[in-house]
């Protein structure tokens, strides 16, 4: 959720003047390869969380795991291919 909130907040201020120190803070201002890596890292973290739940005996549903991880992979692909819907502004 933190990753999504950072993108949304940065996207809402994308057309306004902001201090230059904020540019490195929000993923939306990062170079495209870094943003793709960011969203892939978020997908890996989501997958790791789901697998840790399975290890504890919880959350064995593959559909829920896919629904948790796939949106981040789709967003990473959108950023990688410069899709308009992946820019948040």
């Amino acid at each position: 959720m933190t990753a999504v909130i950072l993108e949304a907040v940065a996207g809402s201020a994308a057309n306004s003047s902001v201090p230059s120190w904020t540019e490195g803070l929000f993923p939306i201002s990062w170079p495209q390869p870094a943003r793709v890596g960011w969203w892939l890292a978020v997908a890996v973290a989501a997958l790791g969380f789901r697998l840790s739940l399975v290890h504890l005996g919880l959350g064995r549903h593959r559909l829920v795991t896919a629904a948790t991880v796939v949106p981040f992979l789709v967003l990473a692909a959108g950023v990688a291919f410069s899709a308009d819907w992946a820019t948040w502004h």
Side-chain angles (χ1 to χ4, degrees):
M1 286 305 298
T2 302
V4 173
I5 291 169
L6 281 175
E7 284 278 341
V9 168
S12 68
N15 294 328
S16 65
S17 60
V18 291
S20 60
W21 64 267
T22 61
E23 289 183 10
L25 199 61
F26 295 110
I28 200 165
S29 65
W30 296 351
Q32 183 180 13
R35 287 187 66 215
V36 171
W38 166 256
W39 286 111
L40 289 175
V42 171
V44 168
L47 179 61
F49 174 73
R50 290 296 301 164
L51 293 177
S52 70
L53 290 180
V54 170
H55 182 67
L56 293 173
L58 306 167
R60 296 187 184 270
H61 302 287
R62 289 184 180 166
L63 184 60
V64 175
T65 301
T68 305
V69 175
V70 169
F72 298 118
L73 294 176
V74 169
L75 188 55
V79 171
F81 294 105
S82 301
D84 289 339
W85 52 265
T87 60
W88 294 76
H89 62 85

